[in-house]
Amino acid sequence: LAMPPKQPQKSKAQKALAAASSSRNKGKKKWSKGKVREKKNYAVVLDSELHKKLFSEVPKKMKMITVYTMVEAYKVNASVARRCIRELANAGKIKCISNHSAMPIYTRSA
């Protein structure tokens, strides 16, 4: 059984050059910036028109009332929606189903 002839060993300089040239082609790994949602410009204060609409429609039209459903339906900020829900509940127009701190759920009172 005959062994093939040995390849000549590369010098350190040649090895360094080969490593540098191979990494140069690929370059540094690019990280994605992630998916960026567009900023929603919702109302931060209630004007009188929106106040009337919100306080008259919510107890009648909406079956399930959460902060998010009010934000989506009336284009108000979440903090404004929370305050409105609290006021409606105190007035007795809506009743609480679940009063969890993360997601309070209300419904219209019959």
Side-chain angles (χ1 to χ4, degrees), residues 14-30:
Q14 286 175 324
K15 284 182 186 176
L17 183 70
S21 64
S22 67
S23 65
R24 187 179 64 224
N25 297 343
K26 291 175 191 151
K28 204 172 181 184
K29 184 183 183 302
K30 298 280 188 290

Side-chain angles (χ1 to χ4, degrees), residues 17-81:
L17 183 70
S21 64
S22 67
S23 65
R24 187 179 64 224
N25 297 343
K26 291 175 191 151
K28 204 172 181 184
K29 184 183 183 302
K30 298 280 188 290
W31 287 88
S32 71
K33 297 289 183 277
K35 290 181 182 169
V36 179
R37 292 202 340 226
E38 71 279 357
K39 185 108 171 79
K40 293 183 168 90
N41 200 10
Y42 288 164
V44 184
V45 289
L46 288 179
D47 54 359
S48 59
E49 187 181 307
L50 186 60
H51 184 275
K52 283 177 193 164
K53 182 180 175 186
L54 211 136
F55 278 76
S56 62
E57 285 183 8
V58 169
K60 293 178 186 139
K61 289 190 176 179
M62 296 176 94
K63 269 187 179 171
M64 186 184 74
I65 302 159
T66 63
V67 173
Y68 186 73
T69 55
M70 284 186 59
V71 166
E72 285 299 300
Y74 297 100
K75 304 290 184 238
V76 292
N77 206 338
S79 57
V80 173

Side-chain angles (χ1 to χ4, degrees), residues 43 70 98 100:
M70 284 186 59
S98 163
H100 193 276

